[in-house]
Amino acid sequence: MLFRSVEDVGRALGSAVKDCLGDRRGIRRYGHAIIPMDESLATVAVDLGGRAATVFAVDFPVSTIGAFDAQLVEVFWESFAATAGANFHAVLHHGRNGHHIAEAVFKAAARAIRMAVETDPRQRGVPSTKGTLTQD
C-alpha cells in the first residue's frame, strides 16, 4: 500500500505543477541543480516542456531508509514526471548514506523545478520553437 501512496503523492505534485503552469507561457522551462549532502552529491535536471521521461541514475547502497523502501524515491519522481509532463533526470555522483542520497536528490529536484518554473523576462511566449508545449 505504501507504493501506491508514494506514487499518488508524486502524481499530486505533478498535477499541481502542471495546473499552475497552464500553457507554460513565460517560464524558463529548464532547470538544474547540483546538491551536496554530506558525503553525497546529486544532480537533477528538468525540462517542463510537456513530454514525460525519467532517467534515474541513482543507486542506493541500502534497500530501506529507516522503514522506507529506497526504490520508492524513483517511483515518486517517475509519477511526478508522468503527471507534470516533465523530463526528469537524476544522477548520483557519489554517496554512501541512503538518507543523504535521497535528501540530495529531493533538494536538487526542488531547486531545479524552482528554476524551471521561474518567469523569464526575455521569454514573452511559450518557450518552444513549435510555439506550443503539450504532452504528446
Side-chain angles (χ1 to χ4, degrees):
M1 201 58 149
L2 183 59
F3 169 83
R4 187 69 178 154
S5 297
V6 170
E7 183 180 21
D8 289 343
V9 173
R11 289 189 185 285
L13 179 62
S15 180
V17 168
K18 182 178 180 180
D19 291 349
C20 288
L21 293 178
D23 69 0
R24 302 168 195 232
R25 183 174 311 278
I27 65 168
R28 292 191 187 281
R29 177 178 169 178
Y30 301 101
H32 63 277
I34 301 169
I35 297 293
M37 186 56 51
D38 293 337
E39 84 297 339
S40 300
L41 182 67
T43 297
V44 171
V46 297
D47 171 10
L48 298 177
R51 292 186 307 270
T54 304
V55 176
F56 198 80
V58 177
D59 291 320
F60 286 90
V62 294
S63 60
T64 61
I65 304 164
F68 184 78
D69 183 345
Q71 292 179 348
L72 293 178
V73 175
E74 181 174 5
V75 168
F76 176 89
W77 290 113
E78 285 175 340
S79 300
F80 166 81
T83 309
N87 289 182
F88 183 91
H89 294 255
V91 176
L92 177 67
H93 302 284
H94 48 263
R96 295 182 312 275
N97 179 296
H99 174 87
H100 296 156
I101 292 167
E103 191 171 2
V105 169
F106 274 88
K107 287 182 176 183
R111 292 202 175 229
I113 293 166
R114 179 175 71 183
M115 180 187 291
V117 301
E118 285 177 341
T119 301
D120 183 348
R122 297 170 297 167
Q123 180 63 44
R124 295 176 191 257
V126 176
S128 170
T129 57
K130 298 181 293 186
T132 185
L133 293 175
T134 58
Q135 194 165 359
D136 295 335

